[in-house]
Amino acid sequence: MTLARDVTTRVAELRRHIAALYGDLGRRGLVTWATGNASARVPDADLLVITPLGINPDDITPEGTVVADLHGNVMDAELPPSSDVESHAYVYRHMHQANGIVHTHSTYATAWAVRNESVPCVLTMMANEFGGEIPVGPFSLIGDDSVGRQIVEVLSTHRSPAVLMRNHGVYAIGATPRDAARVAVMCEEAARTVHISRQLGEPVEISRLLVNALHAHHRDISGQPPLPPPTRR
Ligand SMILES: O=C(CO)[C@@H](O)[C@@H](O)COP(=O)(O)O
């Protein structure tokens, strides 16, 4: 594959960034051995950079990441791509503000996914970050774009930038790969706290009005624009 020099530079930067970010997810305990993946859109190039198949975060290197097009076709790689490459590509094609995706099987969030239960919005940090509940998507087979289709479908009716895929794990979307990683960390934090709260009794809800006010205020002070609804193509 021959890329323009500026695209080559961007790809090299994103390869380093995705390798570092995935290593960090491992050190935080969000990805254990090879139970997740991460990707970045390459700006203005219809390409993405994604972690390779079955990689332990301790072992990832920039050279080991995979460059693919936005249909999941591998363009440059030493290793096979993540089995989710077509799903990440589908999300980038349909959510134009998404520039990073992180997938984890983090324990508490995945426990909610196994129960097919959304995490209710009962924390101010959830209102800030997710603008409501963290929804659950349906069971989807892995290996093609099925998971991506469901991510786009579910997130089109929620403000949350994360979705729990039933019997599977977390997919977090961000305006940058680092934002997606932050969303994945927040998702696990929320799932853990709400789970522990439920062991003590029934969590007290936050009204929709207050959730809206908190979310709007957070957007104003953080400068994070909301991800616009997905477009269907
Ligand atoms: O969730 C699953 C399998 O259950 C996969 O997405 C996960 O293990 C990561 O797979 P990849 O190593 O990215 O192919």
Side-chain angles (χ1 to χ4, degrees), residues 22 34-37 51-55 81-84 103 105 142 168 171:
Y22 193 65
T35 56
N37 45 59
T51 48
L53 178 74
I55 191 79
S82 162
S83 48
D84 278 342
H103 169 46
H105 295 184
I142 300 160
H168 185 173
Y171 284 82

Side-chain angles (χ1 to χ4, degrees), residues 13 70 83 93 102-103 108 124 135-136 153 191 209:
E13 278 168 7
L70 293 192
S83 48
R93 289 205 311 278
V102 163
H103 169 46
Y108 283 90
T124 53
V136 188
E153 182 79 27
L209 209 64

Side-chain angles (χ1 to χ4, degrees), residues 111-126:
W112 285 84
V114 169
R115 285 180 44 77
N116 194 27
E117 190 173 358
S118 306
V119 183
C121 185
V122 290
L123 296 164
T124 53
M125 75 80 124
M126 287 187 72

Side-chain angles (χ1 to χ4, degrees), residues 47-131:
L47 295 172
L48 60 86
V49 171
I50 193 165
T51 48
L53 178 74
I55 191 79
N56 181 330
D58 291 343
D59 299 332
I60 191 150
T61 62
E63 301 73 36
T65 61
V66 174
V67 182
D69 69 15
L70 293 192
H71 291 272
N73 301 304
V74 172
M75 307 302 282
D76 187 25
E78 294 175 2
L79 298 172
S82 162
S83 48
D84 278 342
V85 65
E86 286 185 41
S87 284
H88 286 231
Y90 185 92
V91 172
Y92 290 128
R93 289 205 311 278
H94 292 82
M95 298 181 74
H96 298 286
Q97 294 282 106
N99 293 306
I101 302 173
V102 163
H103 169 46
T104 79
H105 295 184
S106 63
T107 308
Y108 283 90
T110 303
W112 285 84
V114 169
R115 285 180 44 77
N116 194 27
E117 190 173 358
S118 306
V119 183
C121 185
V122 290
L123 296 164
T124 53
M125 75 80 124
M126 287 187 72
N128 290 347
E129 191 73 36
F130 300 96

